[in-house]
Amino acid sequence: MALSWCLWVAVALLSGPSTIHALAPENEVTLHPTTWLSENRVTPVHLPKGRARRLYFTLKKKADLLSVTVSPCAVPIEWSLAVRTLKDKPPKKAHWSSKKSMPEVWWRGSGREVRIYTYTGNAVDTYTGPAYAPASIYILRLKSNEQDTQVSAYLHEGPGPSGAFPELPSDPRVHTLGVGMTSVTLNWAPSSSVVVKDGHRPHHEYCVLVNHKHNYRSLCAAREGIRKEIQSVQKRQRRDKQSKEVVWGTLKDLWWQQPDALENRESSTTDKFEDPGCVCRDIESVCTVSDLLPDTQYYFDVFVVDRVNGTSAAYTGTFARTHEEARPAVTSLREGQVKWVTLNGDARNLQGDQFRFKPRGWQQNGLLTLHTCNSTSKVKVTVLSKGQTLTSQEVGHQLAQIWLHGAPSYLIQLQALASGSSLVIPKGDSSKSKFCLKMQASSAYHRRAVPVFPTTLQIKSFNKLRTCNSVTLAWMGTEERSLYCVYRRQIPLDSKHTSTDRCIDPESRPAKERVLCKYFQELNPRRAVTTAVVGELEPGMLYVFDVYLMRRWGLPIKYHSKTVRTRSEC
């Protein structure tokens, strides 16, 4: 007998599980381990994609009402509540040979199953209803068809609210009070759960989240979105082989420098409150979100958080677009117009003064001429077209020429700089932070390069040719045929300021100061010297002489003033 029994066991083991199941009773059904849903306790459940999870529970004898709350995380789920009633109570001791789980015992009895509630979505949902016959077992089925996710379930027996989840007001919408360029002010109806008692801070509070993508239906979904965003940024940074500091800097910009939101933690299976980057966390039902970008759309979500139970409830979020930055005024430059500009060296005026010039004709070319009126000041000139920078340079005390070509319209930005540096003049003394310059744009000049300046702007006086009533002057010209005008003015012998303001136009000077105008051209730059004899002067007097190079397509070029005293005796 002993030998026969051993042979039978060996055959059964070699034959596999099918033989063992064949030896089991006909009505035996193999079940997975039972998961019980406890009362008044948040039960976390992990849902694999496409696989249903079941949770079982029974009610106490005196319970006449029950409520089941299911809180999804980031994706929609399907969940249903069914009850299985028995005609007869199951025996206290099962007559089957093997040990059975309690739901399996209920299944073997005679009875029927009734589905009492179903829901599909990603919002927190609660079923409340009467209890069935005492000899009943409830089955909560949960399923996610999109991806693996986390779910929280909560069972409450008896009437009244469970108190595990915060209460939302009758109007759970978030309202926008005000929108600015970098801030948005929100308010919402207060929750009855947020109550201050005996001066102690309640264990409920509000958490306000902001992001660029969409509104969230739960705090768990918000955490999941933050986690995915962090992982996406980390993968992108690893792919670009950038440093760890750059990764953290990018994450801080994304989530408003909230360190708790930047930790690489696993997704929470419950709503245990870990700050996901709340821009406001308070008991007041109003919040001003600052440090936003202009002309950008943001989504705002408000959650009531129970820090003790680790649960939360979501208001209906809202969105708003911040106002765009005030665009600086753009002044049009007319063809050949001489524009006087007063620059203010305010550090807050990052774009400076702006001007628009549209050249005439199909060639779309032009010549921009600038001349500062302060000998120690500099100006940064930036020329743009269609948002692209064409050229950028600093202009000092010398007259500057910029050739414009290849665009139908040009945006010219002028910004005052400190003397000897590229820094914006700090706001302070108005006499130091403001100065003037002249500017002209013309499309009359058709060459493909800027006009040539004289090799020097000095004026020479010949002492041997100086008389009691005349002075001989000489200056350098260019190879282009141009008009030169000579001006004079008499000053006192003890005068200390002999130089003429270089920003004064020849047309604005008195007509009696103009001595002569002459055309000159010399193709050899080394020999491009012209002279003029200025007569009708008084003996022993001090005179200031100025020469202007007149041009049709740009500002006149003023030579350096020359002071000469006529002879007293001849």
Side-chain angles (χ1 to χ4, degrees), residues 224-238 251 255 264-267:
E224 187 70 13
I226 294 174
R227 185 182 65 84
K228 290 182 178 180
E229 186 69 25
I230 292 174
Q231 291 179 348
S232 174
V233 172
Q234 289 176 339
K235 290 180 180 179
R236 185 167 60 251
Q237 296 295 346
R238 285 195 297 266
L251 296 178
W255 300 105
N264 186 18
R265 53 177 178 262
E266 295 296 328
S267 59

Side-chain angles (χ1 to χ4, degrees), residues 500-515:
T500 304
D501 188 353
R502 57 181 179 172
C503 274
I504 295 181
D505 290 328
E507 293 80 3
S508 62
R509 301 187 64 164
K512 64 179 182 179
E513 293 184 0
R514 186 170 64 182
V515 178

Side-chain angles (χ1 to χ4, degrees), residues 466-469 493 538-541 565-570:
R466 181 169 56 97
T467 66
C468 294
N469 56 10
L493 295 177
E538 297 181 9
M541 301 304 296
R565 184 178 179 178
T566 58
R567 295 184 184 273
S568 300
E569 297 178 359
C570 295

Side-chain angles (χ1 to χ4, degrees), residues 399-461:
L399 186 142
Q401 301 179 120
I402 299 176
W403 177 241
L404 309 176
H405 63 94
S409 176
Y410 300 92
L411 179 65
I412 304 166
Q413 294 180 350
L414 304 179
Q415 188 176 18
L417 301 177
S419 177
S421 69
S422 300
L423 300 176
V424 180
I425 298 175
K427 190 172 180 60
D429 187 4
S430 60
S431 64
K432 296 181 180 180
S433 62
K434 292 184 179 181
F435 62 90
C436 298
L437 63 83
K438 290 191 305 182
M439 178 173 57
Q440 184 192 47
S442 173
S443 55
Y445 185 81
H446 295 300
R447 297 187 181 182
R448 295 189 176 275
V450 296
V452 178
F453 279 166
T455 56
T456 178
L457 296 179
Q458 298 291 336
I459 302 175
K460 182 176 178 59
S461 172

Side-chain angles (χ1 to χ4, degrees), residues 332-340 356-360 365-369 404 438-445 505 507 551-556:
S332 296
L333 280 178
R334 297 195 301 271
E335 172 69 31
Q337 174 193 11
V338 178
K339 185 72 176 179
W340 287 81
R356 178 78 64 182
F357 175 65
K358 294 183 178 180
R360 294 178 180 176
N365 297 334
L367 179 65
L368 175 65
T369 310
L404 309 176
K438 290 191 305 182
M439 178 173 57
Q440 184 192 47
S442 173
S443 55
Y445 185 81
D505 290 328
E507 293 80 3
R551 305 183 301 171
R552 294 181 296 106
W553 49 78
L555 294 174

